[in-house]
Amino acid sequence: MLSCIVLSILSFIGGGFAQAATEYVDPDNGITFWGITDPVHLVTHGYVFPPISAGSTEFIGEIVAPISTGWAGVSPGGEMVDNLLLMVWANGDTVMGTNRFATDYIQPVPYAGPIITNLPSTKVNSTHYKWVYRCQNCTVWDGGSLNTNAFVAPAWVFSSIAVDDPSDINTDFQEHTDFGFYGSNFSAAHASAEDYNNWAAGGTGSSGGSTTTTTTTTTSTTATSSPTVAPTPYDYIVVGAGPGGIIAADRLSEAGKNVLLLERGGPSTWETGGRYGPTWAQGYDLTKFDIPGLFETLFTDSNEFWWCNDITVFAGCLVGGGTSVNGALYWIPTSDDFSTATGWPSSWSNGKHDPYVAMMQERLPSTDHPSTDGERYLEQVYSVVGQLLNGQGYNNITINDNPNFKDHVYGYSAYDFINGKRGGPVATYLQTAQARSNFRMEIYTYVSNVVRNSSTILGVQTNNTAIGPNGYVPLNPNGRVILSGGSYGSPRILFLSGIGPSDMLEIVSKDPTYGPQLPPQSDWIDLPVGYNVSDNPSINLVFTHPSIDAYDNWATVWADPRPADAAQYLENQSGVLAQASPRLNFWRAYGGITDNVVRYVGDFYLRFLYIEISSLFKQLQGTARPGAASINTTMSYNASTIFTITAYLSTGITSRGRIGIDASLRPQPLVEPWFEDPGDEPVLLQGLEDIISNMASIPGMTMITPDDTMTMEEYVSLYDRSTMDSNHWVGSNSILQVVDENVKVMGTDNLFVIDASIMPRLPMGNPHGALMSAAEHAVANILALEGGP
Ligand SMILES: Cc1cc2nc3c(=O)[nH]c(=O)nc-3n(C[C@H](O)[C@H](O)[C@H](O)COP(=O)(O)OP(=O)(O)OC[C@H]3O[C@@H](n4cnc5c(N)ncnc54)[C@H](O)[C@@H]3O)c2cc1C
């Protein structure tokens, strides 16, 4: 399988790295390196250079990795493509160190030019392997070079998965499972000639002459400095290739504007250049993100490069954003989803939003039978729960044919899969955008902040020095920036741009890198960024029924799927694997129990699986939560017949949370939004009690969570609040609060937001359908606004 190390194009632009290199002495060899030990994988990476005045093109490096590490690597230049890559793994007692090169985001291949010499302290022991190497002819390579006299951002990569053939120095390998960057002042990492020459020859210890701490120098670095890229201005810079950003960029480029779409992550589906797929699908141009039936494996795969590793809830950081990792449940919005009563401007209400829903449906129709043969598979749950709901007076409908029918209705789950594969905005809007010469997308490009002169945005600051000087990308005259970084990503960019509540801007101001870059305090724009946040509180009920096929809890679909199902899927994208796990959805309206607010209990997510996911740490936690583990042990049950009903509190939620950043500038919930208002919990409790009210009428149906030792009330009250996350975050830049009716950030001339953060309230169903029609509406408003490019 082709692989790609996901290394960002990144050079130092002012830092903002969680870690900065420090000087340390390796006790095994006495070499003074500059480097880091990453706090998660505990891999150490270090470099030391000869004196600057030597004009040398070599360095000594080391990588020290825990023995369980599949492989570890570095890119001293901080980029994957057209950069020298050094990687190492252990083959028994032998350290296998090699240099590689990639001309694209593909398998890096062995590269001629560098001369690598393993130094004597290279070793494997019971806990670690250590590669200490001299790398000659290593600061200049095809199309690039390393500035050893500057503050730079080297990259590291890590894989928990072994290379394909550890005994083969030229082996292929799968893409990393994690990566990162750190700031390093290479200009300080130069040893004396005496020490360097001693170490390079395999000697140890130091002459006492410490590393030269050359912070200023008159030495010419012309030969090795990064090429300066001329600034290329754009009419529109869109930040984030999630559904909001993709739709915005497509419509803007369709209107003839010069558009740059910047995405911090890498490719996802095969069509976008993604190559991470199961072994059984090799040769079929299918990735994990293409195959709907692999949805549940996103949460169980030890390789999880698709999640934003600096956001404490699940968020997709790759092309497509959340729509490349979500369940793809796709609901046509109701009229109420865009009413003034739900916080939308009158210019969006009373039918004025309908044309945009139609535009979305034209580009992206929904299906409730995604298998290409038109058949439905694994429908036993539909039958059992359908019977249950029939007994409660529900009607069976085609849900998206009747978007406004959301009381006592159920139907087949609807998706935006296309031809049995993940579709969504990536397979539609992005494709048309990419066909235009006035559209450009840059991946692995992280935007830290907008650069502004008071209320006027001038451009964006990125980490990608290939697209602008020091990563800065300017706007054309009258140009505009659109933030589409999602409910967590966009607020962070605003905070780092001096826009938001003062407590968040104070945090940024204390950051040694970004503090000095903030606009003067007199230019701070005080807006409630991060407030008014909602996510559906959700609670799982787990049942068994003898007719159910639990499909091995989806545990085998990645490595060892049922052969007939895999073969059927590969043949024509039909069968069980052409659909994500949900099978049935239902809604029921409730009047307020402790207030007069109508809420809907939507059981969006009916599946054959019982997993709990810690929203805070992005980890799968099995049944580790109050009241659950013992329940599973007190009742005997047949694991092959389990199914789950996840009940969400849908629209009408009155609880609100808050999103902010910590001192490391990581976005996270400051106030969790589930059951914050006392009016919400009783409604969800009532909904759960109603779901099971006639369970006795379904022969063989048994609820195992909660079990018969616990009332539903006890279950709900003990339910771990932090596991109620539904990944449906909205509201952190709510319309009419942070952005105006044209989604322009208030107090600015030319800064806009198009993503889930502008939605003032959760829609009736899982949100990405309503978000995409909102994006259609928002970008049309922007194009219609006078004064643009
Ligand atoms: C696990 C999961 C399951 C879900 N299931 C469903 C479902 O079945 N149905 C449904 O309707 N919804 C579902 N959702 C929610 C849905 O996917 C989101 O509401 C939707 O994706 C939000 O879109 P967005 O454009 O606001 O942001 P996102 O989709 O989050 O996209 C933001 C993009 O911006 C990029 N970005 C962020 N910051 C920066 C930066 N500083 N520089 C450059 N790029 C940046 C990110 O990498 C990302 O690609 C699910 C979400 C998750 C996480």
Side-chain angles (χ1 to χ4, degrees):
M1 181 174 60
L2 285 175
S3 315
C4 81
I5 306 175
V6 178
L7 286 185
S8 251
I9 298 170
L10 193 144
S11 290
F12 178 66
I13 51 144
F17 305 102
Q19 275 190 289
T22 53
E23 194 180 52
Y24 69 93
V25 177
D26 182 331
D28 275 356
N29 48 38
I31 299 176
T32 304
F33 288 102
W34 277 75
I36 60 149
T37 299
D38 92 77
V40 177
H41 309 295
L42 304 178
V43 179
T44 300
H45 317 88
Y47 302 96
V48 59
F49 301 94
I52 293 168
S53 55
S56 163
T57 62
E58 71 168 87
F59 57 85
I60 297 171
E62 78 168 2
I63 300 176
V64 188
I67 196 75
S68 58
T69 306
W71 58 269
V74 292
S75 166
E79 306 177 23
M80 171 178 172
V81 175
D82 292 338
N83 259 261
L84 180 65
L85 310 172
L86 296 137
M87 63 179 291
V88 63
W89 64 93
N91 177 36
D93 289 341
T94 308
V95 172
M96 307 288 279
T98 172
N99 63 295
R100 299 294 180 102
F101 201 80
T103 53
D104 204 341
Y105 295 104
I106 53 176
Q107 176 78 64
V109 293
Y111 177 58
I115 302 164
I116 308 278
T117 309
N118 289 359
L119 297 179
S121 47
T122 295
K123 65 179 180 186
V124 183
N125 65 21
S126 59
T127 60
H128 287 78
Y129 54 90
K130 173 188 280 196
W131 184 32
V132 188
Y133 58 94
R134 180 184 186 188
C135 198
Q136 293 169 273
N137 196 24
C138 286
T139 60
V140 183
W141 51 82
D142 286 347
S145 59
L146 184 68
N147 187 350
T148 67
N149 190 23
F151 203 124
V152 297
W156 57 264
V157 280
F158 170 92
S159 180
S160 55
I161 300 165
V163 297
D164 294 358
D165 179 0
S167 66
D168 178 5
I169 195 71
N170 295 323
T171 181
D172 282 353
F173 52 93
Q174 293 183 36
E175 66 190 309
H176 66 83
T177 55
D178 201 1
F179 70 100
F181 308 91
Y182 59 97
S184 184
N185 188 1
F186 273 5
S187 64
H190 293 262
S192 67
E194 187 182 355
D195 277 346
Y196 187 87
N197 293 337
N198 175 37
W199 298 331
T204 60
S206 167
S207 63
S210 61
T211 53
T212 55
T213 51
T214 315
T215 49
T216 59
T217 176
T218 55
T219 306
S220 166
T221 56
T222 313
T224 56
S225 61
S226 300
T228 301
V229 177
T232 305
Y234 290 85
D235 295 339
Y236 283 90
I237 301 172
V238 181
V239 182
I246 288 175
I247 291 173
D250 180 46
R251 294 299 188 191
L252 292 167
S253 59
E254 183 183 48
K257 310 299 178 189
N258 231 339
V259 179
L260 177 65
L261 175 60
L262 300 174
E263 167 55 44
R264 63 177 280 188
S268 49
T269 56
W270 188 276
E271 199 170 29
T272 65
R275 294 296 180 265
Y276 184 62
T279 311
W280 58 264
Q282 265 182 24
Y284 285 85
D285 297 0
L286 294 164
T287 68
K288 187 183 200 75
F289 312 103
D290 288 290
I291 304 173
L294 296 181
F295 167 62
E296 296 291 351
T297 73
L298 289 160
F299 307 99
T300 55
D301 192 329
S302 60
N303 185 352
E304 48 179 30
F305 61 87
W306 43 91
W307 302 122
C308 308
N309 60 9
D310 56 358
I311 296 180
T312 60
V313 300
F314 283 115
C317 268
L318 71 178
V319 173
T323 55
S324 287
V325 295
N326 69 15
L329 287 170
Y330 176 44
W331 308 117
I332 306 308
T334 68
S335 317
D336 183 53
D337 283 342
F338 290 92
S339 69
T340 48
T342 58
W344 290 90
S346 55
S347 56
W348 290 61
S349 305
N350 296 324
K352 297 192 188 80
H353 183 68
D354 295 351
Y356 304 102
V357 175
M359 287 164 73
M360 173 186 75
Q361 284 187 269
E362 192 186 324
R363 293 299 306 272
L364 196 46
S366 81
T367 176
D368 63 7
H369 49 280
S371 174
T372 54
D373 60 5
E375 301 292 321
R376 294 195 176 90
Y377 293 82
L378 217 60
E379 290 301 326
Q380 303 92 341
V381 161
Y382 191 88
S383 160
V384 172
V385 179
Q387 284 177 55
L388 187 76
L389 298 176
N390 288 339
Q392 296 169 30
Y394 279 70
N395 294 306
N396 178 1
I397 63 168
T398 301
I399 296 166
N400 277 341
D401 285 354
N402 307 275
N404 285 337
F405 293 5
K406 287 293 188 301
D407 187 18
H408 283 87
V409 294
Y410 74 93
Y412 292 109
S413 303
Y415 300 93
D416 52 5
F417 295 139
I418 300 172
N419 296 330
K421 295 195 289 186
R422 187 175 292 276
V426 169
T428 50
Y429 292 91
L430 184 60
Q431 301 311 310
T432 44
Q434 286 188 307
R436 297 187 189 107
S437 59
N438 55 328
F439 170 87
R440 176 178 175 189
M441 179 167 77
E442 284 287 330
I443 57 176
Y444 299 122
T445 299
Y446 180 89
V447 173
S448 53
N449 56 287
V450 299
V451 176
R452 62 188 175 97
N453 178 7
S454 191
S455 59
T456 305
I457 312 305
L458 307 174
V460 299
Q461 183 63 61
T462 79
N463 62 2
N464 186 343
T465 53
I467 58 171
N470 279 338
Y472 172 67
V473 188
L475 286 170
N476 275 327
N478 301 325
R480 291 164 171 168
V481 170
I482 297 177
L483 301 183
S484 300
S487 291
Y488 283 81
S490 289
R492 172 167 48 188
I493 297 170
L494 288 171
F495 298 149
L496 268 64
S497 308
I499 300 170
S502 57
D503 56 350
M504 294 297 104
L505 304 196
E506 293 293 347
I507 291 175
V508 179
S509 73
K510 294 189 178 71
D511 184 86
T513 301
Y514 291 104
Q517 296 179 17
L518 274 176
Q521 197 157 356
S522 54
D523 278 343
W524 288 6
I525 299 173
D526 182 14
L527 288 171
V529 176
Y531 286 92
N532 196 43
V533 164
S534 307
D535 176 48
N536 306 106
S538 59
I539 287 187
N540 291 326
L541 303 177
V542 187
F543 303 88
T544 61
H545 187 276
S547 71
I548 301 289
D549 174 358
Y551 211 63
D552 311 311
N553 223 4
W554 303 93
T556 60
V557 289
W558 175 255
D560 187 22
R562 295 184 188 180
D565 291 345
Q568 182 181 358
Y569 185 77
L570 292 177
E571 189 185 345
N572 58 6
Q573 285 75 64
S574 68
V576 176
L577 297 172
Q579 183 168 350
S581 47
R583 288 295 184 275
L584 177 149
N585 296 81
F586 65 86
W587 281 263
R588 175 171 175 174
Y590 283 90
I593 290 172
T594 60
D595 55 31
N596 290 321
V597 179
V598 176
R599 297 172 176 84
Y600 292 79
V601 173
D603 176 10
F604 304 147
Y605 204 15
L606 192 67
R607 55 186 182 171
F608 304 83
L609 180 71
Y610 182 40
I611 56 172
E612 298 159 79
I613 299 154
S614 162
S615 59
L616 293 182
F617 299 104
K618 296 192 290 192
Q619 289 164 348
L620 225 144
Q621 293 194 345
T623 55
R625 62 178 171 85
S630 61
I631 288 169
N632 284 338
T633 58
T634 59
M635 290 180 78
S636 64
Y637 62 94
N638 180 351
S640 65
T641 64
I642 58 172
F643 66 99
T644 297
I645 297 177
T646 300
Y648 299 76
L649 199 55
S650 169
T651 200
I653 298 166
T654 43
S655 295
R656 289 294 181 273
R658 185 185 175 194
I659 285 172
I661 47 174
D662 65 10
S664 303
L665 311 182
R666 289 179 311 170
Q668 57 203 273
L670 298 180
V671 177
E672 294 182 338
W674 315 288
F675 295 168
E676 178 68 12
D677 183 281
D680 288 336
E681 181 173 344
V683 181
L684 187 51
L685 172 61
Q686 183 65 53
L688 289 162
E689 284 176 338
D690 289 344
I691 288 170
I692 57 163
S693 58
N694 60 332
M695 201 174 64
S697 68
I698 312 295
M701 183 171 174
T702 307
M703 182 165 68
I704 58 170
T705 301
D707 74 0
D708 49 13
T709 65
M710 187 180 269
T711 65
M712 191 64 83
E713 193 171 356
E714 288 167 335
Y715 182 59
V716 170
S717 74
L718 290 171
Y719 207 88
D720 182 355
R721 286 350 187 203
S722 68
T723 65
M724 298 181 84
D725 180 354
S726 299
N727 309 306
H728 294 164
W729 300 89
V730 300
S732 49
N733 295 310
S734 284
I735 200 161
L736 298 185
Q737 296 179 37
V738 174
V739 296
D740 66 16
E741 64 180 337
N742 295 313
V743 300
K744 182 158 68 67
V745 176
M746 295 176 187
T748 71
D749 304 330
N750 54 345
L751 180 61
F752 299 81
V753 182
I754 301 184
D755 60 25
S757 71
I758 66 167
M759 301 171 80
R761 198 179 84 159
L762 278 159
M764 184 67 75
N766 309 51
H768 89 282
L771 161 63
M772 291 193 293
S773 68
E776 286 275 20
H777 196 150
V779 70
N781 281 9
I782 293 172
L783 279 166
L785 260 189
E786 287 182 0

